Amino acid sequence: MDRLELKHLTRILRDCAGEEEGVDLDGDVLDLHWMELGYDSLAVLQTIGHIEREYGVLLDEEALDEADTPRRFLTMVNDALAARVAA
């Protein structure tokens, strides 16, 4: 797959860490911080590991600090996927 979409990310989040009660991952979540969505750093790390295995991409650990929302996270992952395809 050349691009990670929000629907794929939310599926992976649910698979890796479940879904916080009262949080609708199918709603407008792109700009909410992970903690607002009920995900701590361990849940995000599990998600990263899953994405790296499933998509065959290595994510930049330094960029992870700034990928604190689904929108930023998707941008980081899709940039890595685009670089992999271009190589």
Side-chain angles (χ1 to χ4, degrees):
M1 191 172 292
D2 295 339
R3 187 159 181 77
L4 181 67
E5 300 291 338
L6 180 60
K7 66 181 179 179
H8 301 122
L9 176 58
T10 56
R11 176 191 51 83
I12 294 167
L13 284 166
R14 286 181 179 117
D15 289 349
C16 289
E19 186 171 357
E20 184 75 21
E21 189 174 320
V23 174
D24 179 14
L25 289 179
D26 295 322
D28 186 16
V29 298
L30 276 173
D31 295 312
L32 297 177
H33 289 266
W34 294 123
M35 294 302 284
E36 292 176 275
L37 296 171
Y39 297 110
D40 60 11
S41 58
L42 180 57
V44 175
L45 286 174
Q46 289 174 319
T47 301
I48 289 166
H50 183 94
I51 289 170
E52 287 181 332
R53 287 186 304 278
E54 186 172 325
Y55 289 84
V57 65
L58 184 60
L59 300 175
D60 180 2
E61 289 187 30
E62 290 180 21
L64 293 173
D65 291 337
E66 295 185 23
D68 58 350
T69 66
R71 182 185 307 276
R72 291 179 181 153
F73 188 83
L74 287 168
T75 298
M76 178 196 64
V77 171
N78 288 325
D79 287 350
L81 288 170
R84 182 194 69 187
V85 170

